[in-house]
Short mmCIF file of all heavy atoms in Angstrom, two decimals:
data_model
loop_
_atom_site.label_atom_id
_atom_site.label_comp_id
_atom_site.label_asym_id
_atom_site.label_seq_id
_atom_site.Cartn_x
_atom_site.Cartn_y
_atom_site.Cartn_z
N VAL A 186 14.13 1.53 -15.00
CA VAL A 186 14.50 2.53 -13.98
C VAL A 186 15.41 1.89 -12.93
O VAL A 186 16.44 2.46 -12.56
CB VAL A 186 13.24 3.15 -13.34
CG1 VAL A 186 13.61 4.00 -12.12
CG2 VAL A 186 12.48 3.98 -14.36
N ALA A 189 18.90 1.30 -14.30
CA ALA A 189 19.66 2.53 -14.54
C ALA A 189 20.01 3.28 -13.27
O ALA A 189 21.09 3.87 -13.18
CB ALA A 189 18.87 3.45 -15.47
N ARG A 190 19.11 3.30 -12.29
CA ARG A 190 19.29 4.16 -11.12
C ARG A 190 19.79 3.44 -9.86
O ARG A 190 20.54 4.02 -9.08
CB ARG A 190 17.98 4.87 -10.79
CG ARG A 190 17.45 5.75 -11.89
CD ARG A 190 18.30 6.99 -12.07
NE ARG A 190 17.69 7.88 -13.06
CZ ARG A 190 18.32 8.37 -14.10
NH1 ARG A 190 19.59 8.07 -14.30
NH2 ARG A 190 17.71 9.17 -14.94
N TYR A 191 19.38 2.22 -9.64
CA TYR A 191 19.67 1.55 -8.37
C TYR A 191 21.11 1.07 -8.19
O TYR A 191 21.57 0.99 -7.05
CB TYR A 191 18.70 0.40 -8.14
CG TYR A 191 17.30 0.81 -7.74
CD1 TYR A 191 16.70 1.98 -8.23
CD2 TYR A 191 16.54 0.03 -6.90
CE1 TYR A 191 15.42 2.35 -7.88
CE2 TYR A 191 15.25 0.38 -6.54
CZ TYR A 191 14.70 1.55 -7.03
OH TYR A 191 13.43 1.90 -6.67
N ALA A 193 23.79 2.58 -8.43
CA ALA A 193 24.58 3.63 -7.77
C ALA A 193 24.53 3.52 -6.25
O ALA A 193 25.49 3.90 -5.58
CB ALA A 193 24.07 5.01 -8.20
N PHE A 194 23.43 2.99 -5.70
CA PHE A 194 23.36 2.90 -4.24
C PHE A 194 23.20 1.48 -3.71
O PHE A 194 23.35 1.27 -2.52
CB PHE A 194 22.27 3.83 -3.68
CG PHE A 194 20.90 3.63 -4.22
CD1 PHE A 194 20.03 2.73 -3.64
CD2 PHE A 194 20.47 4.35 -5.33
CE1 PHE A 194 18.76 2.55 -4.14
CE2 PHE A 194 19.19 4.18 -5.83
CZ PHE A 194 18.33 3.27 -5.24
N VAL A 245 8.98 7.12 -12.47
CA VAL A 245 8.72 7.81 -13.73
C VAL A 245 9.70 7.25 -14.75
O VAL A 245 10.88 7.03 -14.44
CB VAL A 245 8.91 9.34 -13.57
CG1 VAL A 245 8.85 10.05 -14.90
CG2 VAL A 245 7.86 9.90 -12.61
N ARG A 246 9.21 7.01 -15.96
CA ARG A 246 10.09 6.43 -17.00
C ARG A 246 11.32 7.31 -17.18
O ARG A 246 11.27 8.53 -16.97
CB ARG A 246 9.33 6.21 -18.31
CG ARG A 246 8.77 7.43 -18.94
CD ARG A 246 7.90 7.14 -20.18
NE ARG A 246 8.39 6.05 -20.97
CZ ARG A 246 7.64 5.00 -21.37
NH1 ARG A 246 6.37 4.94 -21.07
NH2 ARG A 246 8.17 4.05 -22.10
N LEU A 247 12.43 6.70 -17.54
CA LEU A 247 13.72 7.39 -17.60
C LEU A 247 13.68 8.62 -18.49
O LEU A 247 14.21 9.67 -18.13
CB LEU A 247 14.81 6.44 -18.09
CG LEU A 247 15.30 5.41 -17.09
CD1 LEU A 247 16.31 4.47 -17.75
CD2 LEU A 247 15.92 6.07 -15.87
N ALA A 249 11.46 10.63 -19.07
CA ALA A 249 10.57 11.68 -18.57
C ALA A 249 11.02 12.22 -17.22
O ALA A 249 10.41 13.16 -16.70
CB ALA A 249 9.14 11.15 -18.47
N GLN A 250 12.08 11.67 -16.66
CA GLN A 250 12.54 12.13 -15.35
C GLN A 250 13.04 13.56 -15.44
O GLN A 250 13.58 13.99 -16.46
CB GLN A 250 13.60 11.19 -14.81
CG GLN A 250 13.01 9.86 -14.41
CD GLN A 250 14.00 8.89 -13.79
OE1 GLN A 250 15.18 9.20 -13.62
NE2 GLN A 250 13.53 7.71 -13.46
N ARG A 251 12.83 14.28 -14.36
CA ARG A 251 13.18 15.69 -14.23
C ARG A 251 12.35 16.60 -15.14
O ARG A 251 12.75 17.71 -15.46
CB ARG A 251 14.67 15.91 -14.44
CG ARG A 251 15.51 15.12 -13.45
CD ARG A 251 16.93 15.63 -13.40
NE ARG A 251 17.73 14.85 -12.49
CZ ARG A 251 17.79 15.00 -11.17
NH1 ARG A 251 17.06 15.92 -10.59
NH2 ARG A 251 18.57 14.25 -10.44
N GLY A 252 11.16 16.10 -15.50
CA GLY A 252 10.27 16.89 -16.34
C GLY A 252 8.99 17.30 -15.63
O GLY A 252 8.05 17.77 -16.27
N THR A 278 12.34 5.32 1.59
CA THR A 278 13.31 5.03 0.54
C THR A 278 14.62 4.62 1.20
O THR A 278 14.75 4.67 2.42
CB THR A 278 13.48 6.24 -0.41
OG1 THR A 278 14.22 5.82 -1.57
CG2 THR A 278 14.20 7.39 0.27
N PHE A 279 15.56 4.22 0.38
CA PHE A 279 16.88 3.86 0.90
C PHE A 279 17.64 5.13 1.30
O PHE A 279 17.59 6.14 0.60
CB PHE A 279 17.69 3.10 -0.15
CG PHE A 279 17.10 1.78 -0.53
CD1 PHE A 279 16.49 1.60 -1.76
CD2 PHE A 279 17.15 0.71 0.35
CE1 PHE A 279 15.95 0.37 -2.12
CE2 PHE A 279 16.61 -0.52 0.00
CZ PHE A 279 16.01 -0.69 -1.24
N THR A 280 18.39 5.07 2.41
CA THR A 280 19.16 6.24 2.85
C THR A 280 20.22 6.63 1.83
O THR A 280 20.64 7.78 1.77
CB THR A 280 19.83 6.00 4.21
OG1 THR A 280 20.70 4.87 4.11
CG2 THR A 280 18.83 5.80 5.31
N SER A 281 20.63 5.69 1.01
CA SER A 281 21.66 5.97 0.01
C SER A 281 21.09 6.45 -1.32
O SER A 281 21.84 6.76 -2.25
CB SER A 281 22.53 4.72 -0.20
OG SER A 281 21.72 3.60 -0.49
N ASN A 282 19.78 6.56 -1.42
CA ASN A 282 19.14 7.01 -2.66
C ASN A 282 19.00 8.53 -2.62
O ASN A 282 17.91 9.07 -2.39
CB ASN A 282 17.79 6.32 -2.85
CG ASN A 282 17.18 6.60 -4.20
OD1 ASN A 282 17.60 7.48 -4.93
ND2 ASN A 282 16.14 5.83 -4.53
N SER A 283 20.09 9.21 -2.86
CA SER A 283 20.11 10.67 -2.72
C SER A 283 19.17 11.37 -3.70
O SER A 283 18.61 12.41 -3.38
CB SER A 283 21.53 11.21 -2.86
OG SER A 283 22.08 10.83 -4.11
N GLN A 284 18.98 10.80 -4.89
CA GLN A 284 18.07 11.41 -5.86
C GLN A 284 16.64 11.43 -5.31
O GLN A 284 15.96 12.45 -5.37
CB GLN A 284 18.12 10.68 -7.19
CG GLN A 284 17.23 11.31 -8.25
CD GLN A 284 17.30 10.59 -9.59
OE1 GLN A 284 18.08 9.68 -9.80
NE2 GLN A 284 16.47 11.03 -10.52
N ALA A 285 16.19 10.31 -4.77
CA ALA A 285 14.83 10.25 -4.21
C ALA A 285 14.70 11.15 -2.99
O ALA A 285 13.70 11.86 -2.85
CB ALA A 285 14.47 8.80 -3.84
N ILE A 286 15.70 11.14 -2.13
CA ILE A 286 15.65 11.97 -0.92
C ILE A 286 15.52 13.44 -1.30
O ILE A 286 14.69 14.16 -0.75
CB ILE A 286 16.88 11.71 -0.03
CG1 ILE A 286 16.79 10.29 0.56
CG2 ILE A 286 17.00 12.76 1.06
CD1 ILE A 286 18.07 9.82 1.22
N GLY A 287 16.32 13.88 -2.25
CA GLY A 287 16.24 15.27 -2.71
C GLY A 287 14.87 15.60 -3.30
O GLY A 287 14.31 16.67 -3.06
N PHE A 288 14.32 14.66 -4.06
CA PHE A 288 13.01 14.84 -4.67
C PHE A 288 11.93 15.00 -3.60
O PHE A 288 11.11 15.92 -3.68
CB PHE A 288 12.70 13.66 -5.59
CG PHE A 288 11.29 13.62 -6.09
CD1 PHE A 288 10.86 14.50 -7.08
CD2 PHE A 288 10.38 12.71 -5.57
CE1 PHE A 288 9.55 14.46 -7.54
CE2 PHE A 288 9.08 12.66 -6.03
CZ PHE A 288 8.66 13.54 -7.01
N TYR A 289 11.93 14.12 -2.61
CA TYR A 289 10.90 14.20 -1.57
C TYR A 289 11.05 15.49 -0.76
O TYR A 289 10.04 16.14 -0.44
CB TYR A 289 10.94 12.97 -0.66
CG TYR A 289 10.60 11.70 -1.41
CD1 TYR A 289 11.41 10.57 -1.32
CD2 TYR A 289 9.48 11.63 -2.24
CE1 TYR A 289 11.10 9.41 -2.02
CE2 TYR A 289 9.17 10.49 -2.96
CZ TYR A 289 9.99 9.39 -2.84
OH TYR A 289 9.69 8.25 -3.54
N ARG A 290 12.25 15.86 -0.43
CA ARG A 290 12.46 17.12 0.32
C ARG A 290 11.99 18.31 -0.51
O ARG A 290 11.38 19.23 0.03
CB ARG A 290 13.92 17.25 0.73
CG ARG A 290 14.28 16.31 1.85
CD ARG A 290 15.70 16.50 2.31
NE ARG A 290 15.94 15.69 3.50
CZ ARG A 290 17.10 15.17 3.81
NH1 ARG A 290 18.17 15.39 3.05
NH2 ARG A 290 17.23 14.45 4.91
N LYS A 291 12.29 18.30 -1.81
CA LYS A 291 11.86 19.39 -2.69
C LYS A 291 10.34 19.51 -2.70
O LYS A 291 9.79 20.59 -2.88
CB LYS A 291 12.40 19.14 -4.10
CG LYS A 291 12.04 20.22 -5.11
CD LYS A 291 12.47 19.84 -6.50
CE LYS A 291 11.29 19.15 -7.13
NZ LYS A 291 11.31 18.91 -8.52
N ASN A 292 9.66 18.39 -2.50
CA ASN A 292 8.20 18.37 -2.50
C ASN A 292 7.60 18.46 -1.10
O ASN A 292 6.46 18.05 -0.88
CB ASN A 292 7.71 17.12 -3.24
CG ASN A 292 7.82 17.29 -4.74
OD1 ASN A 292 6.95 17.89 -5.36
ND2 ASN A 292 8.89 16.79 -5.32
N PHE A 312 9.74 9.23 5.46
CA PHE A 312 9.25 10.61 5.28
C PHE A 312 7.75 10.66 5.56
O PHE A 312 7.05 9.68 5.35
CB PHE A 312 9.48 11.09 3.84
CG PHE A 312 10.90 11.41 3.51
CD1 PHE A 312 11.73 10.46 2.96
CD2 PHE A 312 11.39 12.69 3.72
CE1 PHE A 312 13.05 10.75 2.63
CE2 PHE A 312 12.70 12.99 3.39
CZ PHE A 312 13.53 12.03 2.84
#
Side-chain angles (χ1 to χ4, degrees):
V186 170
R190 300 290 185 232
Y191 285 34
F194 56 88
V245 171
R246 61 186 324 129
L247 285 176
Q250 290 183 1
R251 301 196 182 278
T278 192
F279 296 108
T280 59
S281 53
N282 188 346
S283 58
Q284 182 179 355
I286 291 169
F288 170 75
Y289 296 130
R290 287 184 173 150
K291 181 186 92 168
N292 283 278
F312 286 92

